[in-house]
Amino acid sequence: MSLTREAIIATALDLVEGSPGGLSLRALAAALGVTPMALYPHIGDLDGLLEAMAERCFKEGSAQDDCGEDHDLRDLLLWYCGRVLQYPGLTSAIVARHGALPAPHRAWTDAVTRCILERGLPGIWRDILVDHLHGFALASAAGGAGREEALAVYASHADQLLGSMFAGIGKPLR
């Protein structure tokens, strides 16, 4: 196998989703049969690798346009929850870095923030929604819940949270 950016990203995804030990450039290089230094021209450092992995996994099919009639907060939450359920290892690796979020995550967070602020709600609701989503999806994935079943449960949670958010302000749920 020739060493390409796509091969590196695919192998890194296999590693991060298949092993509880997390992801390191050393482990990735060993899995690819190369030295860690051979990875740098293709992906840079670990942050560069996580950015590339996030671009591949969290950008496709994303819905981060402006919030409006065609774009609803519930859809944003369900789309992202589905991705976290599909890629819990990658999500955990990104959250564990405590650095800048990869571009797809920033775009999604910005869209959620816009949806909340455009409805005249306090920004703290973004943190509540994001923290609940991550906790729910990562715990569900760790517990072996099926993706569709977990998404259905999360949809119910999202409806309850959004209903609480919008209660009393006269704004529609969507």
Side-chain angles (χ1 to χ4, degrees):
M1 166 171 76
S2 69
L3 189 62
T4 65
R5 183 176 174 84
E6 264 313 302
I8 293 168
I9 293 168
T11 302
L13 279 170
D14 288 344
L15 282 174
V16 78
E17 297 304 336
S19 66
L23 180 65
S24 71
L25 293 181
R26 192 173 304 276
L28 176 59
L32 290 164
V34 299
T35 66
M37 291 305 294
L39 301 173
Y40 284 86
H42 299 280
I43 50 93
D45 60 8
L46 186 57
D47 288 330
L49 175 62
L50 290 172
E51 180 81 33
M53 293 166 68
E55 282 287 327
R56 178 172 172 191
C57 299
F58 284 88
K59 191 161 183 165
E60 180 183 324
S62 64
Q64 282 104 22
D65 298 327
D66 285 340
C67 190
E69 288 181 34
D70 295 17
H71 202 73
D72 111 19
L73 183 54
R74 184 178 189 273
D75 288 344
L76 280 170
L77 295 171
L78 292 176
W79 175 85
Y80 185 75
C81 185
R83 293 299 175 154
V84 173
L85 288 165
Q86 187 171 355
Y87 301 107
L90 175 57
T91 302
S92 294
I94 289 168
V95 170
R97 292 295 291 172
H98 300 292
L101 290 173
H105 292 75
R106 283 192 312 272
W108 178 82
T109 303
D110 290 348
V112 169
T113 302
R114 278 192 306 275
C115 284
I116 290 168
L117 296 178
E118 287 174 5
R119 287 167 172 77
L121 294 164
I124 189 73
W125 275 106
R126 181 205 60 202
D127 298 337
I128 293 167
L129 292 171
V130 170
D131 289 349
H132 177 268
L133 187 154
H134 281 128
F136 173 84
L138 292 173
S140 294
R147 185 174 184 267
E148 295 307 315
E149 177 186 344
L151 264 176
V153 172
Y154 180 74
S156 172
H157 290 203
D159 289 342
Q160 291 175 44
L161 285 166
L162 294 173
S164 294
M165 278 175 54
F166 295 118
I169 65 166
K171 307 263 179 174
L173 179 64
R174 293 184 180 239

